Amino acid sequence: MNKESKILIINGSPRRSKNCSKIIEKITSKLDENQLNYEVLNIYKMNIDYCIACGYCERTGKCIIKDDMTPLYEEFDKSIGTIVVSPMFFQSISTKVKTLVDRTQAFYSSKYILKQPSIDTKKERRGMFIAVGGQPEYENQFLGGQLVMDLFFKCINTKLISNIYMSNSDEVPYNDNKEFQEKLNKKIDNYIKEIKLI
Ligand SMILES: Cc1cc2nc3c(=O)[nH]c(=O)nc-3n(C[C@H](O)[C@H](O)[C@H](O)COP(=O)(O)O)c2cc1C
């Protein structure tokens, strides 16, 4: 593993200091302990516009829109991993996460339409998806977000090795949910182990 390589952590919540932020604090403290490089992307503070389906990426493999997404294409390419932490909004990931996901269509086009990948498809990368739902647990609470994430991680050529869900956050927030904290600790430790194997 190249010591310079980074893990990108996407904070999908617009709310500061709430559940997703607390989860990310836990992740970053563990990454620090293990001296792993990372960058937290607070995407609600970033200028990332939505895909306008203009077709430019189908001809060039690049996105025509120039904004805070522009440098992220290279960041995803160089990364050794991506962790997405998102609240559930209407049975899916939050709006801004979906906006970022749609913009990775440029990678998709470069690979599957142009057959000239603009991301190194041979590079090993590891992914994790963490979702927070305000409602008490119900059937398929996280399915909508999971399906989007499955495709997203394929698109950025990152092997999704772990998913973890926290229900009922509006009633029992992260700080009070010891059961979830324990599960999260184990998942992060395992993720770090896998990252170190790269
Ligand atoms: C627009 C909107 C839609 C939501 N939809 C869902 C939902 O479909 N299922 C669910 O369990 N929680 C839903 N919630 C609750 C959030 O997932 C919950 O409050 C979560 O803790 C937000 O993450 P945060 O605390 O990190 O900001 C929704 C909240 C908002 C604002």
Side-chain angles (χ1 to χ4, degrees), residues 4-6 20-21 25 30 47 49 53 97 109 111 118 128 130 152 160 165-166 169 187:
E4 302 301 302
S5 301
K6 253 193 273 180
C20 292
S21 294
E25 274 171 30
K30 286 211 173 238
N47 173 27
D49 211 345
V97 178
S109 294
K111 289 188 284 183
S118 55
M128 174 152 72
I130 301 168
F152 166 67
L160 179 56
Y165 309 134
M166 183 176 113
S169 62
K187 290 269 187 176

Side-chain angles (χ1 to χ4, degrees), residues 13 15 18-20 87-88 90-91 134-135 138 141 169-170:
S13 174
R15 301 200 301 175
K18 294 292 183 179
N19 298 281
C20 292
M88 295 308 287
F90 279 79
Q91 315 269 39
Q135 297 295 309
Y138 59 84
Q141 184 172 15
S169 62
D170 290 346

